[in-house]
Amino acid sequence: MKITKPCNPFRKSMLTALTLGSVLASTLYPTLSFARQVQTNESQHQLTLLIKGYEQKQGVTYLSLYDNAEDFNSMNGKSIANVQHQIQGDTLSISFNQLSKGEYAISLYHDANNNRKLDRNLLGIPSEQYGFSNDVGAFGPAKFDKASFKLDGDKTVVINLR
Amino acid sequence: MKITKPCNPFRKSMLTALTLGSVLASTLYPTLSFARQVQTNESQHQLTLLIKGYEQKQGVTYLSLYDNAEDFNSMNGKSIANVQHQIQGDTLSISFNQLSKGEYAISLYHDANNNRKLDRNLLGIPSEQYGFSNDVGAFGPAKFDKASFKLDGDKTVVINLR
Amino acid sequence: MSNRREFLQTLVAGTACGLAAKSGLSLASGSAMPADFGGAFKSVPKSFEKRALTLEGNWPTDLRGSLYRNSPAMLERNGFQHSHLFDGDGMIQKFSLGDGKVFHQAQMVATDKFLNEEDADRFLYHGLGSSPPNARAARNNDSANPANISVRKMGDKLFALWEAGSAYEIDPENLSTYGRVDWGEDLKHLPFSAHPLRDANGDWWNIGSWIYSGQARTIIYQLDAQAKLKRVKAIPMNQAGYMHAFALSQRFVILVNTAHLYTPGKRYFDSFNFDAKGKTEIVLLDKNDLSVFKTIEIPANFVFHFGNAFEQGEELFISMAEYRNADIMSKGLGLGPHSAFAKEATQYNSDLSVYRINLKNGKWQKQSSQLAMEFPNFRESTPFTVQNLIGMGRPTGTANKADQDYLISYHPLSGEREIYDFGNGFTIEEPLFINGASGQEYVIHSLADRQKSRSGLALFRSGELKAGPIAMAWAEEQFPFGFHGCFVPS
Amino acid sequence: MSNRREFLQTLVAGTACGLAAKSGLSLASGSAMPADFGGAFKSVPKSFEKRALTLEGNWPTDLRGSLYRNSPAMLERNGFQHSHLFDGDGMIQKFSLGDGKVFHQAQMVATDKFLNEEDADRFLYHGLGSSPPNARAARNNDSANPANISVRKMGDKLFALWEAGSAYEIDPENLSTYGRVDWGEDLKHLPFSAHPLRDANGDWWNIGSWIYSGQARTIIYQLDAQAKLKRVKAIPMNQAGYMHAFALSQRFVILVNTAHLYTPGKRYFDSFNFDAKGKTEIVLLDKNDLSVFKTIEIPANFVFHFGNAFEQGEELFISMAEYRNADIMSKGLGLGPHSAFAKEATQYNSDLSVYRINLKNGKWQKQSSQLAMEFPNFRESTPFTVQNLIGMGRPTGTANKADQDYLISYHPLSGEREIYDFGNGFTIEEPLFINGASGQEYVIHSLADRQKSRSGLALFRSGELKAGPIAMAWAEEQFPFGFHGCFVPS
């Protein structure tokens, strides 16, 4: 048995900090939103990625967005976002529309044969295309200090697959 | 032993259909692109998603974009794109910038406790937030005919989490 | 995957409790007429400070403890009035007995619903037939959980109970709310009925009935004496019938899956339909492995509450306040001219019936009491013994449906009965067997004197109901009417 | 994760083949002067149609088959000239012997590189010291693979071989290219040397040397007699030394990990440095499990090619064309005034040496032949026997470095040697032992008569080199100079 949210009568003090705004929709099935009022957050920026250099027009691109060196360098899975996107053309473009100001870096690979991994050869060297922001990574996995870029406004980043 | 790309001398006939364009970059580390010339494709549209209604400000949103009923209804993993995105605010917005004209549908859930799955209770009922395009799915998993929308130009789709 | 919203559109289904609803009319006014109902629930306080009651008669000195009761108290916010008693937010009332004094105090249960609505200063969710403007879709089973049906002590913990969502733990002393109870990670927000039953070994059993989205499954909870989850299992049901409570015998968890069937609909009122040509199923679950031992079909009926069940040799006895259809729920609990609140509404009467089932061949016979007795109670310490039940209601032979109820005792085998009538103007609430320190058994219940707009307690010597109360205690004001509760000796 | 681009910046490392480079000068002109080199490689045809050669002397009637040779033929495109012979795209030449006639035909290997560059009408990739404008970054080890070092028959398949990337399969009849060969899914684009060796049981062994990004690992391939992969393993190396070929004995795969060490650099020329104070390691891998049986340090040296190796009791004999440093590769193969193509450039001479290693204690001694003999060849059918080697070069005592080479036979134990000199104006290519149907053994090699601008074949009776060729065959034109090849009897 677990008691959630212990509180004394009416939990008023807690509620003060958690004031809810409500967004209302249809009457029959009113759409609920517990969201606080969406603040007009000037520190939220759009990052558009344009991935180029696909050698094959099929398969899936796996992309990760990081916001700090530790996670990026260790590739520990603690990315801000991951995207898997089918490839049907020569380029791929997506946008993250609500990123905070900061330093970001991107790693990605193209799973051309849809086996859900970056194929590597006997020596562990990628045999499918990959890439990093700033197009670094020529000498092995790129580190954050090389791959990172500053986001302090809307920005488009082009990455050429290796 | 596997012979790749069998061809007769010079493989000229094949090459005719595979004319390569080249994109050139820096001289020291010229960036390679085997990409065919990026066609100005007027049938590529931007789809912007705005996810609302987060009850918790932490965790990860898992989102899938489908373009056909079979894959959507069976949730067989054959989505056009999947996105995992950390939640740090009240809403989430991303854009797919190069989608072809067509019918699409979206399913998503919010893994608030970062255990990489949509938690379900003893009865198999989601205990974390989820959603579908058109805000359908009130009576169980939505079907494509209910969740799908037409994309034939740039579009913004708002999804309210359940 | 089933669906929460659909469920929540209908979750108020479980708050019915028979004739008690009528007493709800007396909440804050003396009027008992439907026509006056609209203005009857304003200005209910969110708490009652601890105050001594005025004593009458002879209060036994060996009687010490607390009578806890849960009331659907808050029916009005910011100008909007729920049109159904069961939509009121739960309030825990506590009567403290001892030292020759009786105190009363009460406090709203601080559910998530209540807190959110306090904050919004309006009702946010659909109730049972009540639709506040700009209602929110419920997020989960607890979004609209008012925790308003019962209050029970299990182990050293006190719980405010609803039935379609979680329990809330309450401080037994000051009645403050500790919070929502999760029995397990995958049990969050699942139904947990207001009528847990105590096994002979001290364990607690409860059910949670899930009948939505085409999934009819009953969750069986087994808790130890300290209210720690020992076992849980979801049992598939043959039909999505309404179940408010259950019964327990030596060997079985007994579900009575009524013929009031749920079909996914857009509005609650459209969701349930009584299948008069269908059946009610009595499902016997073996306590050992919670497998279905036997399913016995009986003619379509409707039930909220059970007396105790017991096995004698190969026979199983189950008593229940049985309705011949679900009108009590679908119409009787509404507040229109055809509701149970209307005068002469004898069509909603229940019948305290005893089913006698042969466990070998499943054959059964039924004994009707001719008593419209509801809120049946028995002695929890000896759950599987033959014993008289107490409850409130009236003999169905009483042609003149008055606005008051009788206190009733009934023996399920002998049919022996005992009745006490306070007379017009009184509303009595759920009676309980309680014991003094000396071992003397009493029957206690709260009541309202509507004429004088005051609430109080009445105490009877058990087995001597006809003699009338041996003691009473009166407040200077009328408290919200209560549904179910418990007595905790001290 | 190592890195492809870095590798590809340097992958031309493996195309060196000793003195043969010098002959490259005669590709399409009679000039041997570095000053004239720039214009020497224009207008190389992409194929030579099948044409009969003019025969001289006495061609044995029992000699039937095809001599295949690989040549770095295409060194110019769209006005840009590679400045290094090894950057030329591979061309397979075939001399067909039999029925008293000799035919010649040739065809470019249709590598991905060649096809892409045909399509682009320009060179697209950096070569060894050649940097075409707007070069592309290589995508993988095969992006710039010219398949220009050797051509070998394994099983019934013919392969054009490079060393830093994949083999290409060639049609043995019409020399068309079937395509790139993947020995396995995880072996795509990995190095596969131009010098596979045949085991006594018919199996084929080969190495692939990976020395980039701080990872020094040698891939050991074992193929069956039909060139189907039986086993593959990557063996970690102690240093990232250059390895062009390897040796094989009864029990061991023998790697000679030279002191020419790779350090990741931005340009190929900066990437290798000969560590004169370091060591060369002879690594003996047990064929059974490819474990390291023993590693023997010898003084820093440099080696492209090996004769055969064999064990006698506890002694292992390995012959190799040994250089005292890697100048032949770092400078000698360049085309500046200090290159091996310059007159009197005796500083690049190799020395055919025999290492004699005690397998018990690892002690070794070396026997120097005083012969600057390269492209050593032996009888593949008896690989682990004591036998004389054939090759081309000159005695290191020859003070006057002429522009021609000698045909040489050398016995690694007795030191017995035999030398034939065609005289000035001839460039001879790799000699091979071949057998006639009657069992008679011959030595055959292609050559160019630079004075007359024509290419041809010379045939010797084995063991009678001094007597000069018993037969020759001449074309009416000069073909691209070839590196390595094989004779396939028919």
Side-chain angles (χ1 to χ4, degrees):
Chain A
M1 187 185 89
K2 189 176 127 195
I3 305 298
T4 64
K5 295 188 284 186
C7 60
N8 275 310
F10 299 5
R11 222 168 52 191
K12 266 296 184 191
S13 61
M14 294 178 63
L15 283 172
T16 306
L18 293 174
T19 301
L20 302 176
S22 67
V23 178
L24 302 167
S26 79
T27 52
L28 195 60
Y29 283 108
T31 299
L32 164 68
S33 175
F34 277 87
R36 289 54 161 171
Q37 290 212 334
V38 179
Q39 293 166 16
T40 307
N41 194 338
E42 293 186 357
S43 70
Q44 289 195 334
H45 306 299
Q46 182 186 61
L47 169 62
T48 294
L49 303 182
L50 178 56
I51 319 300
K52 294 180 172 180
Y54 288 92
E55 290 188 330
Q56 297 182 64
K57 289 186 86 167
Q58 76 280 3
V60 175
T61 294
Y62 288 75
L63 179 153
S64 293
L65 172 67
Y66 292 86
D67 69 349
N68 68 83
E70 183 184 347
D71 293 337
F72 183 88
N73 293 343
S74 64
M75 294 288 168
N76 58 8
K78 294 180 184 169
S79 47
I80 292 292
N82 298 320
V83 174
Q84 304 164 13
H85 200 302
Q86 281 189 18
I87 303 311
Q88 293 170 327
D90 304 318
T91 60
L92 170 64
S93 177
I94 60 164
S95 303
F96 303 100
N97 299 330
Q98 295 180 338
L99 296 180
S100 304
K101 174 179 177 178
E103 295 276 330
Y104 292 91
I106 288 155
S107 67
L108 60 91
Y109 69 91
H110 180 207
D111 173 25
N113 62 357
N114 286 313
N115 66 350
R116 296 171 177 270
K117 61 176 183 177
L118 172 61
D119 288 349
R120 294 168 183 272
N121 64 23
L122 180 73
L123 304 181
I125 298 162
S127 50
E128 292 182 303
Q129 289 186 278
Y130 62 93
F132 296 96
S133 42
N134 299 338
D135 282 347
V136 295
F139 296 87
K143 294 301 179 187
F144 190 76
D145 62 341
K146 303 292 185 192
S148 63
F149 55 90
K150 182 174 289 185
L151 186 75
D152 52 7
D154 292 353
K155 187 171 198 167
T156 294
V157 167
V158 177
I159 300 177
N160 294 280
L161 286 165
R162 297 185 172 280
Chain B
M1 188 184 87
K2 189 176 129 195
I3 304 297
T4 64
K5 295 187 283 187
C7 60
N8 276 311
F10 298 4
R11 222 168 51 190
K12 266 296 184 190
S13 60
M14 294 177 64
L15 283 173
T16 306
L18 293 174
T19 303
L20 301 178
S22 66
V23 178
L24 303 167
S26 79
T27 52
L28 194 61
Y29 284 108
T31 299
L32 164 69
S33 174
F34 277 86
R36 288 64 162 160
Q37 291 213 333
V38 179
Q39 293 167 17
T40 307
N41 195 338
E42 292 186 358
S43 69
Q44 289 195 334
H45 306 299
Q46 183 185 59
L47 170 63
T48 294
L49 303 181
L50 177 57
I51 319 299
K52 294 181 174 180
Y54 288 93
E55 290 189 330
Q56 297 183 62
K57 288 187 89 168
Q58 76 281 3
V60 175
T61 294
Y62 289 73
L63 179 152
S64 293
L65 172 68
Y66 292 87
D67 70 349
N68 70 82
E70 183 184 347
D71 294 336
F72 184 87
N73 293 343
S74 63
M75 294 286 167
N76 57 9
K78 293 180 185 171
S79 46
I80 292 292
N82 298 320
V83 174
Q84 304 164 13
H85 201 304
Q86 281 189 18
I87 302 311
Q88 293 170 328
D90 303 319
T91 59
L92 170 65
S93 176
I94 60 165
S95 303
F96 303 100
N97 299 329
Q98 295 180 337
L99 296 179
S100 304
K101 175 179 176 175
E103 294 276 331
Y104 292 91
I106 289 155
S107 67
L108 60 90
Y109 69 91
H110 180 207
D111 173 24
N113 62 357
N114 285 312
N115 67 349
R116 296 171 176 273
K117 61 176 183 179
L118 172 60
D119 288 348
R120 293 168 183 273
N121 65 21
L122 181 73
L123 304 181
I125 297 162
S127 52
E128 292 181 303
Q129 290 186 277
Y130 62 92
F132 296 96
S133 41
N134 298 339
D135 282 346
V136 295
F139 295 87
K143 295 301 180 187
F144 190 77
D145 61 342
K146 303 293 186 191
S148 63
F149 55 90
K150 181 173 289 184
L151 186 74
D152 53 8
D154 292 354
K155 188 170 198 168
T156 294
V157 166
V158 176
I159 300 177
N160 294 281
L161 286 166
R162 296 185 173 281
Chain C
M1 186 177 72
S2 188
N3 184 274
R4 292 184 302 237
R5 177 190 285 183
E6 181 189 22
F7 168 65
L8 280 239
Q9 295 285 342
T10 61
L11 52 71
V12 226
T15 55
C17 54
L19 299 184
K22 171 167 161 281
S23 303
L25 294 175
S26 62
L27 250 186
S29 86
S31 166
M33 294 301 101
D36 303 326
F37 186 78
F41 301 104
K42 285 183 178 174
S43 305
V44 176
K46 292 167 188 171
S47 65
F48 290 86
E49 289 189 6
K50 186 170 182 176
R51 287 195 182 152
L53 305 190
T54 302
L55 305 189
E56 296 177 358
N58 190 18
W59 280 91
T61 54
D62 69 336
L63 196 56
R64 304 173 64 91
S66 300
L67 174 67
Y68 296 97
R69 314 242 330 117
N70 198 339
S71 308
M74 185 161 223
L75 284 153
E76 189 271 345
R77 271 190 192 277
N78 199 7
F80 181 84
Q81 292 181 357
H82 283 316
S83 51
H84 201 292
L85 178 61
F86 302 142
D87 294 336
D89 292 284
M91 168 182 270
I92 305 301
Q93 300 192 50
K94 176 185 180 184
F95 296 91
S96 307
L97 281 58
D99 295 327
K101 291 181 179 174
V102 174
F103 291 93
H104 173 269
Q105 66 197 99
Q107 184 73 273
M108 295 301 293
V109 184
T111 61
D112 293 335
K113 169 185 186 290
F114 178 81
L115 294 172
N116 286 337
E117 292 177 340
E118 279 287 289
D119 201 63
D121 194 26
R122 66 182 185 94
F123 287 128
L124 297 171
Y125 299 97
H126 289 288
L128 171 66
S130 304
S131 292
N134 291 329
R136 289 182 181 171
R139 265 287 300 140
N140 57 53
N141 303 21
D142 286 321
S143 297
N145 178 353
N148 65 354
I149 304 295
S150 184
V151 54
R152 293 303 303 259
K153 190 103 181 282
M154 294 191 289
D156 58 357
K157 295 185 176 67
L158 192 67
F159 300 95
L161 301 172
W162 193 38
E163 71 176 19
S166 302
Y168 275 85
E169 189 181 346
I170 304 295
D171 184 305
E173 290 306 313
N174 64 18
L175 305 183
S176 66
T177 301
Y178 288 135
R180 185 172 55 76
V181 175
D182 294 330
W183 303 106
E185 269 303 307
D186 62 343
L187 299 173
K188 285 182 184 173
H189 308 302
L190 284 183
F192 188 82
S193 98
H195 293 283
L197 290 172
R198 194 159 159 195
D199 207 334
N201 67 355
D203 278 2
W204 291 92
W205 295 86
N206 202 359
I207 65 166
S209 177
W210 187 272
I211 50 178
Y212 313 99
S213 302
Q215 292 189 44
R217 285 188 281 178
T218 301
I219 304 167
I220 308 296
Y221 301 87
Q222 184 180 7
L223 314 178
D224 67 14
Q226 291 307 312
K228 187 178 168 190
L229 186 71
K230 287 174 75 171
R231 189 158 50 147
V232 64
K233 191 174 180 184
I235 312 294
M237 296 286 107
N238 289 332
Q239 63 187 26
Y242 178 77
M243 280 183 276
H244 175 78
F246 69 110
L248 197 68
S249 71
Q250 289 93 322
R251 293 161 58 194
F252 303 112
V253 174
I254 303 162
L255 308 177
V256 177
N257 192 359
T258 73
H260 200 42
L261 304 181
Y262 177 85
T263 310
K266 293 187 172 183
R267 288 276 180 174
Y268 169 73
F269 298 111
D270 303 329
S271 298
F272 274 102
N273 286 287
F274 186 75
D275 183 10
K277 295 178 178 169
K279 63 189 177 186
T280 287
E281 287 191 345
I282 299 177
V283 182
L284 306 182
L285 300 174
D286 188 320
K287 285 181 185 172
N288 288 317
D289 57 5
L290 297 179
S291 64
V292 176
F293 171 79
K294 208 177 275 292
T295 299
I296 297 108
E297 289 187 18
I298 60 175
N301 73 358
F302 183 80
V303 182
F304 287 119
H305 301 116
F306 299 86
N308 69 331
F310 51 88
E311 298 158 39
Q312 285 192 336
E314 289 297 334
E315 279 193 317
L316 172 66
F317 293 78
I318 314 167
S319 58
M320 62 188 81
E322 183 180 39
Y323 298 83
R324 61 179 181 270
N325 57 41
D327 286 355
I328 179 65
M329 184 167 157
S330 58
K331 304 174 190 170
L333 300 177
L335 292 168
H338 301 296
S339 82
F341 302 106
K343 275 189 173 177
E344 316 290 326
T346 55
Q347 70 269 34
Y348 301 118
N349 275 350
S350 65
D351 182 13
L352 197 289
S353 304
V354 180
Y355 280 80
R356 183 170 176 164
I357 297 170
N358 184 309
L359 291 170
K360 279 192 172 170
N361 57 25
K363 290 183 177 174
W364 57 272
Q365 44 183 298
K366 183 174 86 167
Q367 170 192 319
S368 168
S369 70
Q370 303 293 314
L371 291 172
M373 170 175 162
E374 256 290 3
F375 285 24
N377 264 273
F378 55 92
R379 298 160 185 86
E380 279 200 334
S381 57
T382 56
F384 311 134
T385 59
V386 184
Q387 55 177 286
N388 63 311
L389 308 172
I390 50 171
M392 60 199 203
R394 73 196 64 85
T396 51
T398 306
N400 173 29
K401 178 188 179 291
D403 65 336
Q404 82 277 28
D405 299 318
Y406 301 78
L407 181 65
I408 304 174
S409 166
Y410 176 74
H411 194 280
L413 295 193
S414 70
E416 189 181 349
R417 64 200 66 194
E418 199 177 11
I419 296 175
Y420 179 78
D421 181 6
F422 278 88
N424 282 343
F426 289 87
T427 300
I428 68 172
E429 303 184 356
E430 179 191 50
L432 298 175
F433 287 111
I434 64 175
N435 289 86
S438 67
Q440 172 63 45
E441 185 178 74
Y442 303 94
V443 171
I444 194 171
H445 66 81
S446 48
L447 79 169
D449 178 346
R450 302 200 307 276
Q451 308 286 343
K452 298 183 177 175
S453 288
R454 61 177 188 174
S455 292
L457 292 180
L459 184 76
F460 293 78
R461 201 175 284 270
S462 181
E464 301 177 16
L465 302 190
K466 277 183 179 169
I470 60 170
M472 298 192 77
W474 292 105
E476 294 178 358
E477 58 193 322
Q478 192 168 342
F479 307 136
F481 175 80
F483 287 156
H484 300 285
C486 60
F487 183 79
V488 180
S490 57
Chain D
M1 185 177 73
S2 188
N3 184 273
R4 292 184 303 238
R5 176 192 283 183
E6 181 190 21
F7 169 64
L8 279 240
Q9 296 283 347
T10 63
L11 51 70
V12 225
T15 54
C17 53
L19 299 184
K22 172 166 161 282
S23 303
L25 295 176
S26 62
L27 250 187
S29 85
S31 167
M33 294 303 100
D36 302 326
F37 185 78
F41 301 104
K42 286 182 176 173
S43 306
V44 177
K46 291 168 188 171
S47 64
F48 290 86
E49 289 188 5
K50 187 171 184 176
R51 287 195 182 151
L53 304 189
T54 302
L55 305 188
E56 296 178 358
N58 190 19
W59 283 92
T61 54
D62 70 338
L63 195 58
R64 305 173 63 91
S66 300
L67 175 68
Y68 295 97
R69 312 233 340 108
N70 197 339
S71 308
M74 185 162 223
L75 285 152
E76 190 271 345
R77 270 190 193 276
N78 200 6
F80 180 84
Q81 294 181 355
H82 283 317
S83 51
H84 203 291
L85 178 63
F86 302 142
D87 295 335
D89 290 285
M91 168 182 271
I92 305 300
Q93 301 192 50
K94 176 186 180 183
F95 296 91
S96 307
L97 281 58
D99 297 326
K101 290 181 177 172
V102 174
F103 290 94
H104 172 269
Q105 68 198 93
Q107 184 74 271
M108 295 301 293
V109 184
T111 61
D112 292 336
K113 169 184 185 291
F114 178 80
L115 295 171
N116 286 336
E117 292 177 340
E118 280 286 289
D119 201 64
D121 195 25
R122 64 182 187 94
F123 287 127
L124 297 170
Y125 299 97
H126 290 288
L128 171 66
S130 305
S131 292
N134 290 330
R136 289 182 181 170
R139 265 287 301 141
N140 56 51
N141 302 20
D142 286 321
S143 296
N145 177 354
N148 64 356
I149 304 294
S150 184
V151 54
R152 294 301 305 260
K153 191 103 183 281
M154 295 190 289
D156 59 357
K157 295 185 176 67
L158 191 66
F159 298 97
L161 301 171
W162 193 38
E163 70 175 20
S166 301
Y168 275 86
E169 189 182 347
I170 304 295
D171 184 304
E173 290 307 313
N174 64 18
L175 305 183
S176 65
T177 301
Y178 288 135
R180 185 171 56 76
V181 175
D182 294 330
W183 302 106
E185 270 302 308
D186 62 343
L187 299 173
K188 284 181 183 174
H189 308 303
L190 284 182
F192 189 81
S193 98
H195 293 283
L197 290 172
R198 194 162 160 194
D199 207 334
N201 67 355
D203 278 2
W204 290 94
W205 294 87
N206 201 0
I207 65 166
S209 176
W210 187 273
I211 51 178
Y212 314 98
S213 302
Q215 291 191 46
R217 284 189 280 179
T218 301
I219 303 166
I220 309 296
Y221 301 88
Q222 184 180 7
L223 315 178
D224 68 13
Q226 291 307 312
K228 187 178 168 190
L229 186 70
K230 288 174 73 171
R231 187 158 52 146
V232 65
K233 190 175 180 184
I235 312 295
M237 296 285 107
N238 290 332
Q239 63 188 28
Y242 178 77
M243 279 183 278
H244 174 78
F246 70 111
L248 198 68
S249 70
Q250 289 92 322
R251 294 162 57 195
F252 303 112
V253 173
I254 303 163
L255 307 178
V256 177
N257 192 358
T258 73
H260 199 43
L261 302 181
Y262 177 85
T263 310
K266 293 187 172 180
R267 289 275 181 175
Y268 169 72
F269 298 111
D270 303 328
S271 298
F272 274 102
N273 286 288
F274 186 76
D275 183 9
K277 295 178 179 169
K279 64 190 176 183
T280 287
E281 287 191 346
I282 300 177
V283 182
L284 306 183
L285 300 174
D286 189 321
K287 286 181 185 173
N288 288 318
D289 58 4
L290 296 178
S291 63
V292 176
F293 171 78
K294 208 177 276 293
T295 299
I296 298 111
E297 288 188 19
I298 59 174
N301 73 357
F302 184 81
V303 183
F304 285 120
H305 300 115
F306 299 87
N308 69 330
F310 51 88
E311 297 157 38
Q312 286 192 333
E314 288 298 334
E315 281 194 317
L316 172 64
F317 294 78
I318 314 167
S319 57
M320 61 187 80
E322 182 180 41
Y323 298 83
R324 61 178 179 273
N325 58 42
D327 285 355
I328 179 66
M329 183 169 157
S330 58
K331 304 174 189 171
L333 301 177
L335 293 169
H338 301 296
S339 83
F341 302 107
K343 275 188 175 177
E344 318 289 323
T346 55
Q347 69 270 30
Y348 301 119
N349 274 352
S350 65
D351 181 13
L352 197 287
S353 303
V354 180
Y355 280 80
R356 184 169 174 166
I357 297 169
N358 184 309
L359 290 170
K360 280 194 171 167
N361 57 26
K363 289 185 178 173
W364 57 271
Q365 45 181 297
K366 183 174 84 167
Q367 169 192 320
S368 167
S369 70
Q370 303 293 314
L371 290 172
M373 172 176 160
E374 257 290 2
F375 287 21
N377 264 274
F378 55 92
R379 297 161 187 85
E380 280 200 333
S381 57
T382 57
F384 311 135
T385 58
V386 185
Q387 56 176 288
N388 62 311
L389 308 172
I390 51 170
M392 61 197 201
R394 72 195 67 83
T396 51
T398 307
N400 175 28
K401 178 186 180 293
D403 65 335
Q404 83 278 29
D405 299 318
Y406 301 79
L407 182 65
I408 303 174
S409 167
Y410 175 73
H411 194 281
L413 295 193
S414 70
E416 190 180 351
R417 63 200 66 194
E418 200 178 10
I419 296 176
Y420 179 78
D421 181 6
F422 278 88
N424 281 343
F426 288 89
T427 298
I428 67 171
E429 303 183 356
E430 178 189 49
L432 298 175
F433 288 111
I434 65 174
N435 289 88
S438 66
Q440 173 64 45
E441 184 178 74
Y442 304 94
V443 170
I444 193 170
H445 65 81
S446 49
L447 80 169
D449 177 347
R450 301 199 308 277
Q451 308 288 344
K452 298 184 178 175
S453 289
R454 62 177 188 174
S455 292
L457 293 180
L459 185 76
F460 293 78
R461 200 176 283 269
S462 180
E464 300 177 17
L465 303 190
K466 276 184 181 169
I470 60 170
M472 298 191 77
W474 290 105
E476 293 178 358
E477 58 193 321
Q478 191 168 342
F479 307 136
F481 173 81
F483 287 156
H484 301 284
C486 61
F487 184 79
V488 179
S490 60

